[in-house]
């Protein structure tokens, strides 16, 4: 009768009674270790890719036709820089700029397409048009997304540019995460970057 002994390097050798175990050459064990390592890497890559797909598919672009009146998802994941009902705005206040609503909206869209404040992420414009809820006041409402580089978490940025006088546009904004509870300060950083960009491009009005 034969017995089977499993060696430390996962090599099996069948022995007859009285036989001694012979060492397995390192050359025979190395390919098996490499194969196990390759399987582990492939498994990890599959899990990571699956998680990325889940994040992307669970946060499709919402439809924003009017400027939001409040945070929709999470109080800790939203920043509103508005005249009415501001939230976590810190020292940011709405802007008055010497420009038309269309000019300001165009600058907002360009900022979004350039990735906003995400140096290694991406951005884009979801929709842009008039906010019909405040007609007949001339306005442009821009809805954009900013996506983190690694996991692909998306934040929605809504910017309302409405005409206050012939040469002055009033700008309010809201940035909010799509999934989760806390933005860890990301949305405040989005709006600080956006407002700094607009103040550099247009003349602020006191």
């Amino acid at each position: 009768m034969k017995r089977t002994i499993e060696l430390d390097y996962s090599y099996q050798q069948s022995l007859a009674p009285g036989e001694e175990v012979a060492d397995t050459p390192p050359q025979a064990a190395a390919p098996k270790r490499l194969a196990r390592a390759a399987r582990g890497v492939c498994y990890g890559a599959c899990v990571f890719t699956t998680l990325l797909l889940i994040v992307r598919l669970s946060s499709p672009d919402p439809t924003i036709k009017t400027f939001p009146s409040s945070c929709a998802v999470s109080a800790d994941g939203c920043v509103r820089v508005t005249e009415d009902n501001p939230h976590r705005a810190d020292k940011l206040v709405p802007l008055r700029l010497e420009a038309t609503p269309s000019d300001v909206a165009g600058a907002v869209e360009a900022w979004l397409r350039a990735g906003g404040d995400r140096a290694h992420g991406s951005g884009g414009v979801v929709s842009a048009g008039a906010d019909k809820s405040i007609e007949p006041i001339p306005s442009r409402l821009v809805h954009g997304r900013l996506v983190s580089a690694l996991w692909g978490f998306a934040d929605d940025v809504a910017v309302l540019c409405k005409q206050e006088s012939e040469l002055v546009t009033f700008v309010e904004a809201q940035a909010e995460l799509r999934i989760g509870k806390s933005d860890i300060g990301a949305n405040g950083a989005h709006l600080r970057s956006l407002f700094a960009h607009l103040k550099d491009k247009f003349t602020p009005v006191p």
Side-chain angles (χ1 to χ4, degrees), residues 2-175:
K2 292 190 175 183
R3 51 197 172 89
T4 298
I5 295 179
E6 186 172 347
L7 304 181
D8 290 341
Y9 30 75
S10 300
Y11 170 75
Q12 289 188 339
Q13 181 179 0
S14 294
L15 300 174
E19 289 183 350
E20 295 184 359
V21 177
D23 275 342
T24 302
Q27 298 90 329
K32 294 185 177 182
R33 288 197 295 269
L34 288 174
R36 286 199 302 273
R39 285 195 297 270
V41 170
C42 290
Y43 177 76
C46 289
V47 171
F48 181 70
T49 302
T50 301
L51 290 174
L52 286 181
L53 287 173
I54 291 173
V55 170
R56 298 296 178 96
L57 294 175
S58 63
S59 57
D61 290 335
T63 300
I64 298 179
K65 294 184 178 180
T66 61
F67 186 72
S69 59
S70 62
C71 299
V73 178
S74 167
D76 291 329
C78 174
V79 174
R80 286 176 53 83
V81 182
T82 55
E83 194 168 47
D84 298 323
N85 195 25
H87 180 68
R88 296 176 68 213
D90 197 12
K91 296 180 180 179
L92 288 176
V93 294
L95 296 177
R96 287 176 169 83
L97 302 172
E98 196 174 289
T100 66
S102 293
D103 288 342
V104 176
V108 172
E109 291 179 34
W111 178 83
L112 286 165
R113 291 192 178 99
D117 65 316
R118 291 197 183 278
H120 304 291
S122 62
V125 177
V126 178
S127 62
D131 186 336
K132 296 184 178 181
S133 69
I134 61 172
E135 288 182 341
I137 299 173
S139 68
R140 294 287 293 175
L141 174 63
V142 179
H143 170 210
R145 85 174 75 77
L146 294 175
V147 182
S148 64
L150 180 60
W151 288 103
F153 289 112
D155 297 326
D156 287 296
V157 180
V159 184
L160 177 62
C161 312
K162 64 181 179 181
Q163 188 177 64
E164 192 169 74
S165 65
E166 186 176 355
L167 297 176
V168 176
T169 294
F170 184 69
V171 182
E172 298 179 293
Q174 174 175 309

